[in-house]
Amino acid sequence: SQTIHQWPATLVQPVGSPLSLECTVEGTSNPNLYWYRQAAGRGLQLLFYSVGIGQISSEVPQNLSASRPQDRQFILSSKKLLLSDSGFYLCAWRAGGSNYGYTFGSGTRLTVV
Amino acid sequence: KNQVEQSPQSLIILEGKNCTLQCNYTVSPFSNLRWYKQDTGRGPVSLTIMTFSENTKSNGRYTATLDADTKQSSLHITASQLSDSASYICVVSRNTGGFKTIFGAGTRLFVKA
């Protein structure tokens, strides 16, 4: 069966520090991978998605970047965190386009102080 | 503009009672609509999916309805349990090229003993 792992679960980082959140998927090949951010009282905001190794699409200009070095690995990064980067980050995968449902990771609560 | 609006924002009910959550959308062209359940601090988990031709779908005590003409969906929870306390997110996908999935802000449900 397919599983998705996301870590860390919580993270407290100072302003200006770098960020690296990692997400891996098991039990499937060539998944579509996604990074979402969830703000309180608002819908999930798509940050990045990838349909293959090295293929990254950015939906929102921001202080973040994403990379997909391996088929089932998706990394969210920042060189210098801002206070506004605080939030709940979710990694997700799905087998194809919008006809398929998402499987989400357990999320990372990032607090920038 | 493609939007998904959910109501109410939050809801408090007593254990054992029924409740209904609403989702109105303006997403076009419509592909499918999913309801997700998100426990606090966790990633969302899919409950139901409905396509244009389906008007009701059940998953245990959860029953989703869809009126494609009025672009409305509801999620009915029967005989609520404490474990139903969570956010319920309506997600609508467009039937078009490219990536287009729109998330509602969710309804926060509190079930009290």
Side-chain angles (χ1 to χ4, degrees):
Chain A
S1 63
Q2 302 90 355
T3 56
I4 180 168
H5 303 280
Q6 182 182 345
W7 67 93
T10 59
L11 192 59
V12 180
Q13 292 283 98
V15 170
S17 64
L19 172 73
S20 181
L21 303 182
E22 189 163 344
C23 174
T24 59
V25 180
E26 296 178 358
T28 186
S29 297
N30 197 31
N32 288 356
L33 297 172
Y34 307 85
W35 279 109
Y36 281 92
R37 179 166 56 199
Q38 187 176 33
R42 302 188 65 178
L44 272 67
Q45 179 188 37
L46 178 65
L47 302 176
F48 301 95
Y49 70 94
S50 170
V51 297
I53 296 174
Q55 300 179 59
I56 308 295
S57 296
S58 174
E59 288 291 303
V60 180
Q62 62 222 318
N63 187 43
L64 302 169
S65 62
S67 62
R68 184 169 178 174
Q70 301 180 48
D71 180 44
R72 288 169 287 181
Q73 184 184 28
F74 205 22
I75 299 172
L76 183 68
S77 305
S78 174
K79 292 182 179 179
K80 291 185 178 182
L81 285 169
L82 306 172
L83 288 174
S84 58
D85 292 323
S86 294
F88 191 56
Y89 290 83
L90 286 160
C91 178
W93 79 273
R94 62 182 181 182
S98 62
N99 288 332
Y100 296 87
Y102 292 96
T103 300
F104 287 90
S106 53
T108 296
R109 173 69 61 190
L110 171 66
T111 304
V112 183
V113 298
Chain B
K1 186 176 181 180
N2 295 294
Q3 290 184 317
V4 176
E5 302 287 341
Q6 291 188 244
S7 62
Q9 278 190 319
S10 62
L11 182 63
I12 302 173
I13 62 174
L14 291 176
E15 186 179 14
K17 298 297 184 181
N18 303 334
C19 67
T20 300
L21 314 180
Q22 299 292 339
C23 173
N24 296 337
Y25 62 93
T26 58
V27 177
S28 181
F30 176 84
S31 175
N32 60 71
L33 183 149
R34 293 177 184 267
W35 284 92
Y36 285 82
K37 177 186 179 185
Q38 184 178 21
D39 293 318
T40 301
R42 308 290 294 177
V45 175
S46 180
L47 291 175
T48 64
I49 175 176
M50 286 183 293
T51 58
F52 185 86
S53 59
E54 298 174 298
N55 56 26
T56 187
K57 186 76 67 78
S58 292
N59 178 0
R61 295 180 296 104
Y62 300 101
T63 299
T65 64
L66 173 65
D67 186 332
D69 292 331
T70 62
K71 297 186 177 181
Q72 296 179 325
S73 177
S74 65
L75 181 67
H76 186 75
I77 304 175
T78 304
S80 61
Q81 300 176 359
L82 296 179
S83 59
D84 292 331
S85 295
S87 288
Y88 292 85
I89 303 172
C90 177
V91 182
V92 183
S93 293
R94 299 179 68 200
N95 185 19
T96 183
F99 179 90
K100 290 299 177 188
T101 297
I102 298 95
F103 287 76
T107 292
R108 188 76 175 92
L109 174 65
F110 300 88
V111 180
K112 294 194 170 184

